[in-house]
Amino acid sequence: ILALTSHAGERTPVQQAPERAVHVANPLANEAGASRAGAKLYARECAACHGLAGEGRGKALPLMASEVHAAAPGALFWVLTNGSLRREMPSFAHLPEAQRWQIVGYLKNQL
């Protein structure tokens, strides 16, 4: 889902998230079952590139990196929504907002 390393000073997608997005809290953070639902969505939408355990495959970098764990939920949501053409990550705006937040919850709580 996220390209994490920087090439020659290039900002990562998480670092490119606008300040207004960074401060948005996950509205499903305390919802029972949201992280489990996020795990299923991650397996379906993200694992082909990032691996089931977030280890990264090919051009897709690992999601277990410290940058993901340190990133604000709003920044991760912004990356999911907008993708990164430079990093060959598609936008997942086709998923309903709640499902994108469930994936963010899974990333923050399980990987």
Side-chain angles (χ1 to χ4, degrees), residues 7-75:
H7 301 292
E10 179 184 328
R11 291 174 31 157
T12 67
V14 169
Q15 293 168 333
Q16 293 175 358
E19 198 66 27
R20 65 177 172 15
V22 171
H23 295 293
V24 177
N26 185 343
L28 306 178
N30 297 316
E31 185 177 300
S35 187
R36 279 192 311 272
K40 291 178 184 178
L41 290 162
Y42 176 89
R44 184 182 80 202
E45 302 287 340
C46 312
C49 294
H50 291 286
L52 280 174
E55 69 275 13
R57 294 184 178 164
K59 291 184 180 184
L61 298 170
L63 298 180
M64 17 187 196
S66 60
E67 183 177 351
V68 174
H69 293 285

